[in-house]
Amino acid sequence: LMFPKVSLHLVVIRLDEKLDDKPKVRYLVAGENTYELPENLALSNLQIIERTCELAEATRISSEDGFCPWVMVIATHLDCECPEESLKEKNRRLQYLVDKYDCILIPKSGDEVIFAMNAMAPKGQERDEYTRLLQQHILQAPKVHSKDVQVPARWMLFHLELSRCSDEGVVEKSVCLEVGDRIQMHEDDVMNAVKYFDSVALLMYLPNKLPDLIFTKFDPVVSRLSEVLAASFTRPSAGPLGEDRRKLRTTGILRKKFVEELFRGKFNPHPFSVDMFFALLEYLRISDQIDKDTYFIPCVLPLDDPNPVKFVTECSPVLLTWCKNVLPQGFFPALIVQLLRRKSTPCF
């Protein structure tokens, strides 16, 4: 969901920081609310680069059609390099990524991983030149390949018209059929187009879970999920919602009433309601329903020190591996949700 197959991910670091420094990260939700991540969630600049490459590589390995995301490292503050670790030293330390993630990483050159620039340059010729060079470098990178796909012109027109139908990024199936009818497409042709654009991540359609909704953007899903995740690491406030926030961050328990209050006035409930949001979280194995109005969402739980844990010694451990050294982010929370849903023995 977060790493479409055809995408470019820019990891931005500062040259006045070292690769092992933990940058101060602020979490921006829906372009409005800003939250500061707790220190125990912080990763170093190097870890952020590595995690992004791992996710892109996991997507590439699982791709069956040859498409894959790309990653590029950009560094700002070229005019104030860190004296303890120069740009040259950073490039030397990151060189191993070129070999390890050759298919998805776009380096600046053979011995330079980082595309360095002065992001604080005043608006004008200098900034425009940085923009031009960056665009040119991406377009000319040998790894960024194109693939000719035969798509009916009417389908492309349909996708364009559908994107204009909702600023919220989600439309009802009936609206899709109306758009298709206006450009003389039959219902079967409309749904074939929707399924195709879903397969190349230009929209999202989940016929088995939300058959009457089509997401023309990922924003409705990502923004709502971001609000829930941000609520898990902000300090609890007084009142009933404060108690719900405390339970969320300590036990992973998420109440529907809390989400309704969290979303109130921030998102248009039509046509993507709170019930549909929870249905989507269950479908994506992000949460599992405990009772009628309560859900468990394990991905919000904080990391714990494994050393004091007493492991069971009476049985053999389970070893999980996935495509060499790459493990998709979110794998373990999804595994927990899947195990909780088991109806046969052993039950969890």
Side-chain angles (χ1 to χ4, degrees):
L1 180 66
M2 301 292 287
F3 260 72
K5 290 184 290 185
V6 186
S7 56
L8 173 65
H9 301 270
L10 305 178
V11 183
V12 182
I13 63 174
R14 295 171 56 129
L15 287 177
D16 58 350
E17 296 178 342
K18 295 186 292 185
L19 288 177
D20 293 324
D21 287 344
K22 294 183 177 181
K24 192 66 175 180
V25 179
R26 288 179 173 81
Y27 197 64
L28 184 67
V29 179
E32 297 177 358
N33 301 329
T34 303
Y35 306 88
E36 288 194 358
L37 289 180
E39 292 184 3
N40 62 344
L41 292 182
L43 299 175
S44 69
N45 287 306
L46 179 59
Q47 288 173 321
I48 293 172
I49 295 171
E50 289 176 332
R51 297 299 184 275
T52 307
C53 288
E54 287 172 3
L55 288 170
E57 178 69 1
T59 305
R60 184 193 70 80
I61 291 173
S62 60
S63 176
E64 298 177 354
D65 52 18
F67 289 114
C68 69
W70 300 283
V71 177
M72 187 172 178
V73 182
I74 296 178
T76 64
H77 295 72
L78 181 58
D79 55 341
C80 48
E81 284 189 51
C82 175
E84 293 86 6
E85 189 177 66
S86 64
L87 173 59
K88 183 178 180 179
E89 175 62 15
K90 287 183 173 68
N91 276 314
R92 187 194 65 78
R93 290 189 61 188
L94 294 176
Q95 193 62 40
Y96 74 97
L97 294 174
V98 177
D99 297 326
K100 187 175 182 180
Y101 300 111
D102 177 64
C103 295
I104 54 97
L105 184 66
I106 303 176
K108 183 180 180 182
S109 64
D111 56 355
E112 292 180 296
V113 176
I114 301 172
F115 189 98
M117 59 190 296
N118 181 15
M120 303 306 292
K123 188 175 182 180
Q125 186 175 356
E126 185 180 0
R127 184 184 293 186
D128 292 343
E129 180 65 10
Y130 276 126
T131 302
R132 186 191 67 79
L133 290 174
L134 181 59
Q135 292 174 339
Q136 184 180 33
H137 181 71
I138 293 171
L139 292 174
Q140 293 180 353
K143 294 183 180 67
V144 180
H145 59 274
S146 60
K147 189 174 182 179
D148 293 331
V149 179
Q150 299 296 325
V151 178
R154 202 179 298 270
W155 283 19
M156 299 303 297
L157 178 60
F158 166 75
H159 182 260
L160 181 63
E161 291 296 321
L162 188 64
S163 300
R164 293 171 175 169
C165 288
S166 173
D167 294 333
E168 295 289 329
V170 55
V171 296
E172 294 175 307
K173 181 179 176 180
S174 58
V175 174
C176 287
L177 298 178
E178 291 174 5
V179 170
D181 186 59
R182 288 202 299 267
I183 56 177
Q184 300 179 356
M185 289 175 65
H186 297 295
E187 180 174 348
D188 289 346
D189 199 23
V190 169
M191 297 316 299
N192 285 335
V194 167
K195 291 174 183 177
Y196 170 76
F197 289 123
D198 170 75
S199 71
V200 294
L202 289 177
L203 54 78
M204 186 170 66
Y205 179 51
L206 305 172
N208 296 327
K209 197 65 179 178
L210 300 173
D212 296 322
L213 287 185
I214 288 89
F215 296 89
T216 59
K217 302 176 184 176
F218 292 102
D219 299 28
V221 179
V222 173
S223 295
R224 286 163 172 79
L225 182 57
S226 294
E227 280 283 355
V228 173
L229 295 178
S232 71
F233 57 71
T234 53
R235 292 188 176 184
S237 55
L241 288 185
E243 179 61 18
D244 283 338
R245 196 182 298 269
R246 186 192 65 77
K247 286 185 177 180
L248 176 63
R249 67 184 297 176
T250 57
T251 65
I253 299 300
L254 181 64
R255 292 202 312 141
K256 185 183 292 186
K257 183 178 180 181
F258 173 71
V259 174
E260 290 172 345
E261 290 297 322
L262 195 65
F263 291 174
R264 191 180 302 278
K266 297 179 182 178
F267 302 104
N268 185 353
H270 180 77
F272 188 40
S273 66
V274 169
D275 287 335
M276 291 179 177
F277 172 72
F278 276 107
L280 185 59
L281 293 190
E282 288 188 85
Y283 177 82
L284 296 173
R285 294 186 178 89
I286 295 174
S287 73
D288 190 45
Q289 189 169 15
I290 297 175
D291 56 39
K292 182 179 178 181
D293 296 316
T294 308
Y295 295 77
F296 176 57
I297 178 167
C299 65
V300 304
L301 293 175
L303 298 176
D304 203 357
D305 183 4
N307 292 324
V309 177
K310 294 182 179 180
F311 292 98
V312 176
T313 58
E314 289 79 16
C315 61
S316 300
V318 176
L319 176 63
L320 302 174
T321 62
W322 195 89
C323 298
K324 297 182 181 179
N325 298 322
V326 180
L327 192 67
Q329 186 171 345
F331 178 85
F332 287 109
L335 176 63
I336 292 170
V337 170
Q338 187 65 23
L339 291 176
L340 289 173
R341 293 177 181 175
R342 279 182 62 93
K343 302 301 182 184
S344 57
T345 305
C347 294
F348 296 87

